[in-house]
C-alpha cells in the first residue's frame, strides 16, 4: 500500500512502543519518516542515537524511506531542529505524530517540582515545540496532519498521575484548539488515547498498581491489560491520509482492536436557580439533579 506516498512524517518517541509501530507502518505506507527519539533511559538519564537509527534502518530495509533524529522535544530548539531535519531531508513536512512520553508517577502530596515539570516538558510543551514550527510550514503549503497522544488518565483520571493526566488532558485540548486555528488551511488536528503495554507502562511499580486497585480505581474498560502497540498504529496512520481530510478536532480511544470516538465535554444536565442561587438551594438541587446517577470515583472510607 502507498496511501502516504510522497508525504513526510515526523514521529517523536519513535524508537519503541507505539511510536515505533507508527513509524514502521508509515514507512510501509510510503511516507518518508523522521524517526525521532533521544534514546534515554526511563529515568531520563543517558542518551543514544542507536534506538532511532535502528528503527530508521528497519524502515529502509523494508523498502521505505527514513532518517533518524536523536533530538529532544523538551526544548524549543529541539523541536525546531527535527522539523528542519524533515524539510532538509525530504523537502517538506506533512504530518507530526507526538508519541514521546515519560512517566513520573507520584501522589500529588509527594510529587516534586521536578517530577511535574519533567512530564510537562516532554508531553505538553514537547507537543508545542514540534507543532509550532511544523504548523507554520503546513499553513504555507495548505496541507498537514497533526496527531497528539492523549490518555484516559487525562480524559477520565488516574491516581498518582496528576502531572501525566494534566499534560494528556492538555494535549486533547490542544487538538481541539489547533483544529480551529488550522482547519482553514487544510491542516487537521486530532488526538488518540491509546491502550497498549509499552516500556513506559511496564515501569509503573506494582505497589502503585496495587494501591489503585485497592482504592477501587478501575481501568476505563475491561480490555486486556497487555495490548499490542501495533493495534494503535493503523488509526494514527489513517488520520494522516488524504482520506481523513474532514476528521478534525476529535479524540479517539484506540487499542486492542477497538476504536472509539470520545464524547465531547458538553453540559450533561443543568439546574436553574433564581439569580445566583443560595448555598442552601444548591445543597438541595446539586445532589438531586446534577449528580443524579453519578458516583464519586474515590470516596473516603465509611
Amino acid at each position: 500500500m502507498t496511501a502516504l506516498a510522497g508525504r513526510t512524517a515526523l514521529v517523536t518517541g519513535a524508537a519503541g512502543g507505539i511510536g515505533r509501530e507508527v513509524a514502521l507502518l508509515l514507512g510501509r505506507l510510503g511516507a518518508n519518516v523522521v524517526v525521532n527519539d533521544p534514546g534515554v533511559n526511563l529515568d531520563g538519564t543517558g542518551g543514544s542515537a542507536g534506538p532511532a537509527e535502528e528503527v530508521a534502518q528497519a524502515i529502509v530495509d523494508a523498502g521505505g524511506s527514513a532518517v533518524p533524529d536523536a533530538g529532544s522535544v523538551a526544548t524549543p530548539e529541539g523541536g525546531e531542529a527535527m522539523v528542519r531535519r524533515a524539510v532538509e531531508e525530504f523537502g517538506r513536512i506533512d504530518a507530526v505524530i507526538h508519541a514521546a512520553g515519560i512517566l513520573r508517577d507520584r501522589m500529588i502530596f509527594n510529587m516534586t517540582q521536578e517530577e511535574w515539570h519533567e512530564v510537562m516538558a516532554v508531553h505538553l510543551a514537547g507537543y508545542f515545540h514540534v507543532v509550532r514550527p511544523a504548523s507554520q510550514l503546513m499553513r504555507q503549503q495548505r496541507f498537514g496532519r497533526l496527531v497528539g497522544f492523549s490518555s484516559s488518565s487525562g480524559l477520565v483520571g488516574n491516581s498518582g498521575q496528576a502531572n501525566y493526566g494534566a499534560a494528556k488532558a492538555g494535549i486533547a485540548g490542544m487538538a481541539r484548539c489547533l483544529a480551529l486555528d488550522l482547519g482553514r488551511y487544510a491542516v487537521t488536528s486530532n488526538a488518540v488515547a491509546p491502550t497498549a503495554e509499552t516500556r513506559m507502562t511496564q515501569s509503573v511499580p506494582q505497589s502503585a498498581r496495587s494501591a489503585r486497585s485497592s482504592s477501587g480505581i478501575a481501568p476505563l474498560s475491561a480490555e486486556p491489560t497487555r495490548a499490542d502497540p501495533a493495534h494503535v498504529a493503523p488509526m494514527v496512520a489513517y488520520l494522516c491520509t488524504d482520506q481523513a481530510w474532514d476528521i478534525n478536532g476529535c479524540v479517539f480511544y484506540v487499542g486492542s482492536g477497538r476504536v472509539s470516538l470520545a464524547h465531547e465535554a458538553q453540559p450533561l444536565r443543568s439546574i436553574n436557580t433564581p439569580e445566583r442561587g443560595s448555598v442552601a438551594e444548591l445543597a438541595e438541587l446539586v445532589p438531586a439533579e446534577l449528580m443524579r446517577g453519578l458516583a464519586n470515583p474515590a470516596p473516603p472510607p465509611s
Side-chain angles (χ1 to χ4, degrees), residues 6-302:
R7 298 298 187 189
T8 298
L10 164 64
V11 184
T12 70
I18 299 171
R20 181 180 191 275
E21 296 297 336
V22 169
L24 293 173
L25 179 56
L26 294 179
R28 292 197 297 271
L29 292 174
N32 307 308
V33 186
V34 177
V35 179
N36 164 258
D37 201 294
V40 299
N41 299 316
L42 284 172
D43 62 2
T45 61
S48 170
E53 291 173 350
E54 184 274 326
V55 175
Q57 190 60 51
I59 293 172
V60 172
D61 290 345
S65 173
V67 294
D69 181 273
S72 171
V73 299
T75 67
E77 296 78 14
E80 290 170 1
M82 60 188 75
V83 171
R84 186 167 57 249
R85 180 80 190 280
V87 176
E88 290 173 350
E89 292 286 343
F90 303 115
R92 57 187 289 131
I93 183 165
D94 298 292
V96 171
I97 298 95
H98 182 52
I102 61 172
L103 285 179
R104 297 291 185 269
D105 282 15
R106 191 87 65 183
M107 300 298 282
I108 188 63
F109 39 78
N110 291 325
M111 187 174 292
T112 66
Q113 290 280 344
E114 290 75 18
E115 289 165 339
W116 175 269
H117 289 298
E118 286 171 357
V119 169
M120 286 293 172
V122 174
H123 289 276
L124 188 55
Y127 197 30
F128 171 74
H129 294 155
V130 291
V131 162
R132 182 178 182 275
S135 68
Q136 294 169 344
L137 300 174
M138 291 174 176
R139 177 173 176 255
Q140 294 172 6
Q141 69 193 19
R142 294 301 196 268
F143 181 89
R145 300 287 185 263
L146 305 175
V147 183
F149 273 61
S150 187
S151 169
S152 59
S153 292
L155 301 174
V156 179
N158 203 357
S159 176
Q161 291 193 323
N163 48 6
Y164 180 77
K168 290 305 193 182
I171 288 175
M174 276 185 69
R176 297 185 179 101
C177 292
L178 296 178
L180 298 174
D181 283 352
L182 300 170
R184 72 191 69 181
Y185 306 110
V187 178
T188 64
S189 168
N190 297 286
V192 297
T195 298
E197 190 77 2
T198 66
R199 181 181 76 148
M200 189 172 74
T201 61
Q202 289 169 352
S203 71
V204 177
Q206 185 56 44
S207 58
R209 297 177 189 268
S210 299
R212 289 168 185 164
S213 177
S214 64
S215 299
I217 300 170
L220 177 67
S221 69
E223 297 292 349
T225 301
R226 182 168 291 277
D228 191 339
H231 293 169
V232 179
M235 184 61 182
V236 175
Y238 166 67
L239 291 173
C240 295
T241 65
D242 291 1
Q243 288 74 22
W245 68 272
D246 202 30
I247 302 175
N248 200 20
C250 297
V251 179
F252 300 91
Y253 290 101
V254 184
S256 299
R258 177 181 296 169
V259 178
S260 304
L261 176 64
H263 190 283
E264 301 297 335
Q266 299 292 339
L268 176 63
R269 55 177 76 108
S270 304
I271 56 175
N272 295 309
T273 60
E275 297 181 0
R276 65 181 181 182
S278 67
V279 172
E281 288 174 318
L282 293 173
E284 178 181 350
L285 293 174
V286 169
E289 298 296 333
L290 285 187
M291 305 306 296
R292 184 177 70 254
L294 302 178
N296 183 338
S302 57

